[in-house]
Amino acid sequence: MAVDKYALIARVKELEGLTNDDKSQIIGFIKTKTYGLVWEDSTEKCWEQLKEYIPVLIENKERAIISDRPEAPNHILIEGDNLLALTNLCATHQGKIDVIYIDPPYNTGNKDFVYNDSYVDSEDAFRHSKWLSFMSKRLRIAKRLLSDRGVIFISIDDNEQAQLKILCDEIFGENDFVAKFDWRKKTGANDAKDVAIVTETVLLYAKNHFVTIENKIWKRDEDSINRDRYRFEDEFVETRGKFYYDTLDRGGLQYSDSMNFGIEAPDGGIIFPHGRDSFVNDGWIWKWGREKVEWGIKHKFLEFVKSNKSKGSSYTIKYKVYQFVDNEGNIRERSGRAFMNLILDPINQIGNSEMKEIFENKTPFSNPKPIGLIKYLLRTIQNQDSTILDFFAGSGTTMHAVMQLNKEDGGHRQCILVTNNENSICENVTYERNKRVINGYTKPNGEWVEGLHDNNLRYYKVGFVPRDKDLRFVTSFAISSVNTLCIKHGVYAEQPQFGSLQCEAKRLRYFDDGVRRFLVILDPELVGDIIAQLQQAEYDGRMPVYVFTTGNYPYTDDFGQVSDRVELYPYPTCIYGACEQEMPRTVDKPLDMPDDIELTDDEANMTYDDLNKE
């Protein structure tokens, strides 16, 4: 039904019982909303928590799995509500995520969607509104996290597919819709009462579709042409790709004496077209002339193969057709066709089989997505060094797929997983699965599967710091947010000292892995000593230095003489400010980070050591 906006606005202005602010908000909504979804917004327990607390990440170092290989990719698993984790990731990965894959609750009404600690059933009148409120908050943060070339894949079924498409059009933009994948999750449905539903949907959006095309991030499906034929590998697989065998002889071509000659085999015998043992003009000739045959043998495009069919020799000759080589033997641009939006393999049941192999014939998670589906989606992207986020991690298939894909193509993709610990899923399924994949495991049949050892995995849990605007809060948040800085810079090797200065947990922290480094000055009284050490330190480039302050000024003037050696950040303001953009504001607690912190007389006279006494 069409709506007369101007008549509606006039009626709102005449309403009694509304404040001018209420009327202004309603009129603003009417003016701006031209097309899309309208739903009853619902609050969440975790959203209410954000009014009182700010999330921080606490590392469980006992669960860390660290590779011996220095350049191994760092994968991260975060246990906690994904809205809280996403809020914190705004400080570490805003504009840095290349690919997001999520498999959110489908809201089937069959105990698959928990909202405020209760399952949403099919009879709930606000079922769709609750789901849209839930998804909207998370997708808006997801968009902030995506890089300019970033893309997001979202699995869904028919219960919310139509609503999700419109919601994503609103959040990401209609023009940034890329494709709707139809995935055949099963081959039949014998229990169907009307139409057998055998597919699910994966929606694909880009942060900026134009940028992804201009930068050619979309990979071609190199195996799509004659996929089943390219089966063999040899010493040239890195440059020529896989190959299949074809025959060098051929009948039915225009006959030529120059293409009908004998080729000497390794046993001294002579091979003629069609296995003849002498020159016969019967229409069979070689595809190549003499010079090209000599070239093909020399460069191993032709191969002598043992055969009982050749009359003049115990060998026959075969032509190797490579993926990435043209008919003249030149390496061509790797092409293939665009990946299709119809995915026929693997079916969903494969995911259960994969879990049983890892968990000793048990299925600790119902119907996990198969690894092959995630790999298919990730293969559509050119970047093999991408950062991938899944904030509905479930059984952890995405990280497993990322590590396996890295193994197959030599990539250096890094993965971040987020999941809650309902029924201990994060600890006993998500973490345990990927731990076994990295370390290796034994299948139910006794076969040992070697681990993907060239990977690091770090385990974090979402914690809270009270959101009070006093100096104790700022100090507590600064100390608690050092893990966030480690994730932000990808540096986890903490050093016991910086130069001649000893590092202490509540005064000075220094992280350096030999390639990257950063410094956290929690006690501003150390600034002078730090500057003296910076003048003597040997490193290339500019080191990030975080200086504790209650405002936005990181002692820039003091660092003037080493300004070419440091990147200064006001700390923890820089972290809080990034997180705060996605946190609720309250009337009684303005949350601007405190240039204007009001301290009591006692607090104003406290020393740094007083504030940090246990």
Side-chain angles (χ1 to χ4, degrees), residues 408-451:
E408 292 173 6
D409 64 14
H412 195 271
R413 302 170 184 85
Q414 300 183 77
C415 186
I416 302 171
L417 297 184
V418 182
T419 188
N420 61 32
N421 202 32
E422 183 183 351
N423 298 322
S424 300
I425 182 177
C426 188
E427 297 173 291
N428 297 337
V429 181
T430 322
Y431 172 74
E432 186 62 31
R433 173 186 189 167
N434 285 286
K435 174 185 174 182
R436 296 186 186 196
V437 169
I438 294 173
N439 292 336
Y441 58 91
T442 302
K443 291 182 179 181
N445 64 4
E447 179 186 349
W448 171 254
V449 177
E450 190 61 41

Short mmCIF file of all heavy atoms in Angstrom, two decimals, residues 408-451:
data_model
loop_
_atom_site.label_atom_id
_atom_site.label_comp_id
_atom_site.label_asym_id
_atom_site.label_seq_id
_atom_site.Cartn_x
_atom_site.Cartn_y
_atom_site.Cartn_z
N GLU A 408 46.80 -26.70 0.73
CA GLU A 408 46.66 -27.12 -0.67
C GLU A 408 47.29 -26.14 -1.65
O GLU A 408 47.86 -26.55 -2.66
CB GLU A 408 45.18 -27.30 -1.01
CG GLU A 408 44.54 -28.48 -0.29
CD GLU A 408 43.03 -28.54 -0.50
OE1 GLU A 408 42.51 -27.72 -1.30
OE2 GLU A 408 42.38 -29.37 0.15
N ASP A 409 47.15 -24.81 -1.38
CA ASP A 409 47.63 -23.85 -2.37
C ASP A 409 48.76 -22.95 -1.87
O ASP A 409 49.15 -22.01 -2.55
CB ASP A 409 46.48 -22.99 -2.89
CG ASP A 409 45.82 -22.11 -1.83
OD1 ASP A 409 46.41 -21.94 -0.74
OD2 ASP A 409 44.72 -21.58 -2.09
N GLY A 410 49.31 -23.26 -0.67
CA GLY A 410 50.43 -22.47 -0.17
C GLY A 410 50.05 -21.10 0.34
O GLY A 410 50.90 -20.22 0.48
N GLY A 411 48.76 -20.88 0.63
CA GLY A 411 48.30 -19.58 1.10
C GLY A 411 48.69 -19.30 2.54
O GLY A 411 49.22 -20.16 3.25
N HIS A 412 48.42 -18.07 2.97
CA HIS A 412 48.73 -17.65 4.34
C HIS A 412 47.49 -16.96 4.93
O HIS A 412 47.58 -15.91 5.57
CB HIS A 412 49.93 -16.70 4.35
CG HIS A 412 50.54 -16.51 5.70
ND1 HIS A 412 50.13 -15.53 6.57
CD2 HIS A 412 51.54 -17.17 6.35
CE1 HIS A 412 50.83 -15.59 7.68
NE2 HIS A 412 51.69 -16.58 7.58
N ARG A 413 46.33 -17.57 4.69
CA ARG A 413 45.09 -17.01 5.22
C ARG A 413 45.06 -17.14 6.75
O ARG A 413 45.56 -18.13 7.29
CB ARG A 413 43.90 -17.74 4.62
CG ARG A 413 43.82 -17.69 3.10
CD ARG A 413 42.75 -18.64 2.57
NE ARG A 413 42.71 -18.70 1.12
CZ ARG A 413 43.50 -19.48 0.38
NH1 ARG A 413 44.38 -20.29 0.97
NH2 ARG A 413 43.40 -19.48 -0.93
N GLN A 414 44.47 -16.15 7.39
CA GLN A 414 44.29 -16.19 8.84
C GLN A 414 42.80 -16.15 9.15
O GLN A 414 42.03 -15.49 8.46
CB GLN A 414 45.00 -15.02 9.51
CG GLN A 414 46.50 -15.01 9.24
CD GLN A 414 47.20 -13.89 9.97
OE1 GLN A 414 47.44 -13.95 11.17
NE2 GLN A 414 47.53 -12.84 9.24
N CYS A 415 42.42 -16.85 10.21
CA CYS A 415 40.99 -17.00 10.52
C CYS A 415 40.70 -16.56 11.94
O CYS A 415 41.48 -16.83 12.86
CB CYS A 415 40.58 -18.47 10.33
SG CYS A 415 38.81 -18.75 10.51
N ILE A 416 39.57 -15.87 12.11
CA ILE A 416 39.06 -15.49 13.42
C ILE A 416 37.69 -16.12 13.58
O ILE A 416 36.80 -15.92 12.75
CB ILE A 416 38.94 -13.96 13.56
CG1 ILE A 416 40.29 -13.28 13.32
CG2 ILE A 416 38.40 -13.59 14.93
CD1 ILE A 416 40.20 -11.77 13.23
N LEU A 417 37.52 -16.90 14.64
CA LEU A 417 36.24 -17.52 14.94
C LEU A 417 35.67 -16.92 16.22
O LEU A 417 36.42 -16.64 17.17
CB LEU A 417 36.39 -19.03 15.16
CG LEU A 417 36.87 -19.90 14.01
CD1 LEU A 417 36.83 -21.37 14.43
CD2 LEU A 417 36.05 -19.69 12.75
N VAL A 418 34.35 -16.76 16.25
CA VAL A 418 33.66 -16.31 17.46
C VAL A 418 32.47 -17.23 17.68
O VAL A 418 31.69 -17.48 16.75
CB VAL A 418 33.16 -14.85 17.35
CG1 VAL A 418 32.48 -14.43 18.65
CG2 VAL A 418 34.30 -13.90 17.01
N THR A 419 32.33 -17.74 18.90
CA THR A 419 31.15 -18.53 19.24
C THR A 419 30.95 -18.48 20.75
O THR A 419 31.90 -18.29 21.50
CB THR A 419 31.29 -20.00 18.77
OG1 THR A 419 30.05 -20.68 18.96
CG2 THR A 419 32.37 -20.73 19.54
N ASN A 420 29.70 -18.63 21.17
CA ASN A 420 29.48 -18.70 22.62
C ASN A 420 29.84 -20.09 23.12
O ASN A 420 30.25 -20.95 22.33
CB ASN A 420 28.03 -18.34 22.96
CG ASN A 420 27.02 -19.29 22.32
OD1 ASN A 420 27.29 -20.47 22.13
ND2 ASN A 420 25.85 -18.77 21.99
N ASN A 421 29.69 -20.30 24.42
CA ASN A 421 30.07 -21.60 24.99
C ASN A 421 28.86 -22.34 25.51
O ASN A 421 28.95 -23.11 26.46
CB ASN A 421 31.10 -21.40 26.11
CG ASN A 421 31.91 -22.66 26.37
OD1 ASN A 421 32.16 -23.44 25.45
ND2 ASN A 421 32.29 -22.88 27.62
N GLU A 422 27.72 -22.11 24.84
CA GLU A 422 26.50 -22.83 25.21
C GLU A 422 26.74 -24.34 25.07
O GLU A 422 27.22 -24.81 24.04
CB GLU A 422 25.35 -22.39 24.31
CG GLU A 422 24.02 -23.03 24.66
CD GLU A 422 22.92 -22.61 23.70
OE1 GLU A 422 23.15 -21.70 22.88
OE2 GLU A 422 21.83 -23.20 23.77
N ASN A 423 26.42 -25.07 26.14
CA ASN A 423 26.66 -26.53 26.17
C ASN A 423 28.14 -26.86 25.92
O ASN A 423 28.47 -27.92 25.37
CB ASN A 423 25.79 -27.25 25.15
CG ASN A 423 24.31 -27.08 25.42
OD1 ASN A 423 23.88 -27.07 26.57
ND2 ASN A 423 23.52 -26.91 24.37
N SER A 424 29.02 -25.93 26.33
CA SER A 424 30.49 -26.12 26.22
C SER A 424 30.94 -26.30 24.77
O SER A 424 31.98 -26.92 24.51
CB SER A 424 30.95 -27.32 27.07
OG SER A 424 30.63 -27.12 28.42
N ILE A 425 30.18 -25.75 23.82
CA ILE A 425 30.53 -25.97 22.41
C ILE A 425 31.88 -25.37 22.04
O ILE A 425 32.67 -25.97 21.31
CB ILE A 425 29.42 -25.43 21.48
CG1 ILE A 425 29.78 -25.72 20.02
CG2 ILE A 425 29.20 -23.94 21.69
CD1 ILE A 425 28.75 -25.30 19.04
N CYS A 426 32.19 -24.18 22.57
CA CYS A 426 33.45 -23.54 22.19
C CYS A 426 34.64 -24.37 22.66
O CYS A 426 35.58 -24.60 21.91
CB CYS A 426 33.52 -22.12 22.76
SG CYS A 426 34.93 -21.17 22.16
N GLU A 427 34.58 -24.81 23.90
CA GLU A 427 35.70 -25.57 24.47
C GLU A 427 35.79 -26.98 23.89
O GLU A 427 36.88 -27.43 23.51
CB GLU A 427 35.54 -25.66 25.99
CG GLU A 427 35.57 -24.33 26.72
CD GLU A 427 35.25 -24.50 28.18
OE1 GLU A 427 34.08 -24.81 28.50
OE2 GLU A 427 36.16 -24.32 29.00
N ASN A 428 34.66 -27.67 23.84
CA ASN A 428 34.68 -29.10 23.55
C ASN A 428 34.49 -29.45 22.09
O ASN A 428 34.72 -30.61 21.70
CB ASN A 428 33.62 -29.82 24.38
CG ASN A 428 33.89 -29.71 25.87
OD1 ASN A 428 35.04 -29.50 26.29
ND2 ASN A 428 32.85 -29.84 26.67
N VAL A 429 34.03 -28.49 21.28
CA VAL A 429 33.82 -28.78 19.86
C VAL A 429 34.69 -27.87 18.99
O VAL A 429 35.58 -28.33 18.29
CB VAL A 429 32.33 -28.65 19.46
CG1 VAL A 429 32.15 -28.99 17.98
CG2 VAL A 429 31.47 -29.58 20.32
N THR A 430 34.42 -26.56 19.03
CA THR A 430 35.13 -25.62 18.15
C THR A 430 36.63 -25.68 18.37
O THR A 430 37.41 -25.84 17.42
CB THR A 430 34.63 -24.18 18.39
OG1 THR A 430 33.24 -24.18 18.63
CG2 THR A 430 34.96 -23.30 17.20
N TYR A 431 37.03 -25.54 19.62
CA TYR A 431 38.46 -25.57 19.93
C TYR A 431 39.04 -26.97 19.73
O TYR A 431 40.08 -27.14 19.09
CB TYR A 431 38.70 -25.12 21.37
CG TYR A 431 40.12 -25.31 21.84
CD1 TYR A 431 41.15 -24.46 21.38
CD2 TYR A 431 40.46 -26.32 22.72
CE1 TYR A 431 42.46 -24.65 21.80
CE2 TYR A 431 41.76 -26.51 23.14
CZ TYR A 431 42.76 -25.67 22.68
OH TYR A 431 44.05 -25.86 23.09
N GLU A 432 38.35 -27.96 20.27
CA GLU A 432 38.89 -29.32 20.22
C GLU A 432 39.04 -29.80 18.78
O GLU A 432 40.03 -30.47 18.44
CB GLU A 432 37.97 -30.26 20.99
CG GLU A 432 38.49 -31.68 21.14
CD GLU A 432 39.79 -31.77 21.91
OE1 GLU A 432 40.03 -30.94 22.80
OE2 GLU A 432 40.60 -32.68 21.60
N ARG A 433 38.09 -29.47 17.93
CA ARG A 433 38.19 -29.88 16.52
C ARG A 433 39.46 -29.32 15.88
O ARG A 433 40.24 -30.05 15.28
CB ARG A 433 36.97 -29.39 15.75
CG ARG A 433 37.08 -29.63 14.25
CD ARG A 433 35.94 -29.02 13.47
NE ARG A 433 35.97 -29.43 12.08
CZ ARG A 433 34.97 -29.25 11.23
NH1 ARG A 433 33.85 -28.68 11.65
NH2 ARG A 433 35.07 -29.64 9.98
N ASN A 434 39.65 -28.01 16.01
CA ASN A 434 40.79 -27.40 15.33
C ASN A 434 42.11 -27.73 16.00
O ASN A 434 43.16 -27.75 15.34
CB ASN A 434 40.55 -25.89 15.23
CG ASN A 434 39.52 -25.56 14.17
OD1 ASN A 434 39.78 -25.64 12.98
ND2 ASN A 434 38.31 -25.21 14.61
N LYS A 435 42.07 -28.00 17.29
CA LYS A 435 43.27 -28.50 17.97
C LYS A 435 43.70 -29.83 17.36
O LYS A 435 44.88 -30.06 17.07
CB LYS A 435 42.97 -28.67 19.46
CG LYS A 435 44.09 -29.31 20.27
CD LYS A 435 43.65 -29.54 21.70
CE LYS A 435 44.68 -30.32 22.49
NZ LYS A 435 44.22 -30.60 23.88
N ARG A 436 42.74 -30.73 17.15
CA ARG A 436 43.07 -32.04 16.57
C ARG A 436 43.52 -31.90 15.12
O ARG A 436 44.42 -32.62 14.68
CB ARG A 436 41.85 -32.96 16.66
CG ARG A 436 41.44 -33.28 18.08
CD ARG A 436 40.32 -34.31 18.15
NE ARG A 436 39.86 -34.49 19.53
CZ ARG A 436 39.11 -35.51 19.94
NH1 ARG A 436 38.74 -36.44 19.08
NH2 ARG A 436 38.72 -35.58 21.20
N VAL A 437 42.91 -30.99 14.39
CA VAL A 437 43.32 -30.78 13.00
C VAL A 437 44.77 -30.30 12.93
O VAL A 437 45.53 -30.70 12.05
CB VAL A 437 42.38 -29.77 12.31
CG1 VAL A 437 42.93 -29.33 10.96
CG2 VAL A 437 40.99 -30.37 12.14
N ILE A 438 45.17 -29.44 13.88
CA ILE A 438 46.54 -28.93 13.89
C ILE A 438 47.52 -29.99 14.39
O ILE A 438 48.59 -30.19 13.80
CB ILE A 438 46.64 -27.67 14.77
CG1 ILE A 438 45.84 -26.52 14.15
CG2 ILE A 438 48.10 -27.24 14.95
CD1 ILE A 438 45.74 -25.29 15.03
N ASN A 439 47.15 -30.70 15.44
CA ASN A 439 48.08 -31.66 16.05
C ASN A 439 48.06 -33.03 15.38
O ASN A 439 49.02 -33.79 15.50
CB ASN A 439 47.76 -31.84 17.53
CG ASN A 439 48.06 -30.59 18.34
OD1 ASN A 439 48.88 -29.77 17.95
ND2 ASN A 439 47.40 -30.46 19.48
N GLY A 440 46.98 -33.33 14.67
CA GLY A 440 46.82 -34.66 14.08
C GLY A 440 45.85 -35.49 14.91
O GLY A 440 45.66 -35.25 16.10
N TYR A 441 45.23 -36.49 14.28
CA TYR A 441 44.26 -37.32 14.98
C TYR A 441 44.16 -38.69 14.31
O TYR A 441 44.64 -38.90 13.18
CB TYR A 441 42.88 -36.64 14.99
CG TYR A 441 42.31 -36.33 13.63
CD1 TYR A 441 41.49 -37.24 12.95
CD2 TYR A 441 42.60 -35.12 12.99
CE1 TYR A 441 40.99 -36.96 11.70
CE2 TYR A 441 42.10 -34.82 11.74
CZ TYR A 441 41.29 -35.75 11.10
OH TYR A 441 40.79 -35.47 9.85
N THR A 442 43.52 -39.61 15.02
CA THR A 442 43.33 -40.97 14.51
C THR A 442 41.88 -41.17 14.12
O THR A 442 40.97 -40.90 14.91
CB THR A 442 43.72 -42.01 15.57
OG1 THR A 442 45.08 -41.80 15.96
CG2 THR A 442 43.57 -43.42 15.02
N LYS A 443 41.65 -41.64 12.91
CA LYS A 443 40.29 -41.93 12.46
C LYS A 443 39.74 -43.16 13.19
O LYS A 443 40.51 -43.94 13.77
CB LYS A 443 40.29 -42.21 10.96
CG LYS A 443 40.58 -41.02 10.07
CD LYS A 443 40.49 -41.43 8.61
CE LYS A 443 40.74 -40.28 7.66
NZ LYS A 443 40.63 -40.70 6.25
N PRO A 444 38.43 -43.35 13.17
CA PRO A 444 37.85 -44.53 13.82
C PRO A 444 38.41 -45.85 13.29
O PRO A 444 38.44 -46.84 14.03
CB PRO A 444 36.35 -44.40 13.48
CG PRO A 444 36.14 -42.93 13.32
CD PRO A 444 37.40 -42.42 12.68
N ASN A 445 38.87 -45.87 12.03
CA ASN A 445 39.43 -47.10 11.47
C ASN A 445 40.90 -47.31 11.84
O ASN A 445 41.54 -48.24 11.36
CB ASN A 445 39.27 -47.13 9.95
CG ASN A 445 40.05 -46.01 9.26
OD1 ASN A 445 40.77 -45.25 9.89
ND2 ASN A 445 39.88 -45.91 7.94
N GLY A 446 41.43 -46.40 12.68
CA GLY A 446 42.82 -46.54 13.12
C GLY A 446 43.83 -45.79 12.27
O GLY A 446 45.01 -45.73 12.61
N GLU A 447 43.39 -45.19 11.18
CA GLU A 447 44.30 -44.45 10.30
C GLU A 447 44.69 -43.11 10.94
O GLU A 447 43.84 -42.37 11.41
CB GLU A 447 43.63 -44.22 8.95
CG GLU A 447 44.49 -43.43 7.97
CD GLU A 447 43.74 -43.09 6.69
OE1 GLU A 447 42.63 -43.65 6.49
OE2 GLU A 447 44.25 -42.26 5.90
N TRP A 448 45.99 -42.84 10.94
CA TRP A 448 46.48 -41.58 11.51
C TRP A 448 46.43 -40.48 10.44
O TRP A 448 46.87 -40.67 9.30
CB TRP A 448 47.91 -41.74 12.01
CG TRP A 448 48.57 -40.45 12.41
CD1 TRP A 448 49.53 -39.76 11.75
CD2 TRP A 448 48.28 -39.68 13.60
NE1 TRP A 448 49.88 -38.62 12.43
CE2 TRP A 448 49.13 -38.54 13.57
CE3 TRP A 448 47.40 -39.83 14.66
CZ2 TRP A 448 49.10 -37.57 14.57
CZ3 TRP A 448 47.38 -38.87 15.66
CH2 TRP A 448 48.23 -37.77 15.61
N VAL A 449 45.88 -39.32 10.82
CA VAL A 449 45.84 -38.16 9.93
C VAL A 449 46.85 -37.15 10.44
O VAL A 449 46.73 -36.65 11.57
CB VAL A 449 44.42 -37.54 9.89
CG1 VAL A 449 44.43 -36.28 9.02
CG2 VAL A 449 43.41 -38.55 9.38
N GLU A 450 47.85 -36.87 9.64
CA GLU A 450 48.90 -35.94 10.04
C GLU A 450 48.32 -34.54 10.23
O GLU A 450 47.48 -34.10 9.45
CB GLU A 450 50.01 -35.90 8.99
CG GLU A 450 51.26 -35.15 9.43
CD GLU A 450 51.90 -35.78 10.65
OE1 GLU A 450 51.98 -37.04 10.73
OE2 GLU A 450 52.33 -35.02 11.54
N GLY A 451 48.77 -33.86 11.27
CA GLY A 451 48.24 -32.55 11.58
C GLY A 451 48.73 -31.46 10.64
O GLY A 451 49.78 -31.60 9.99
#
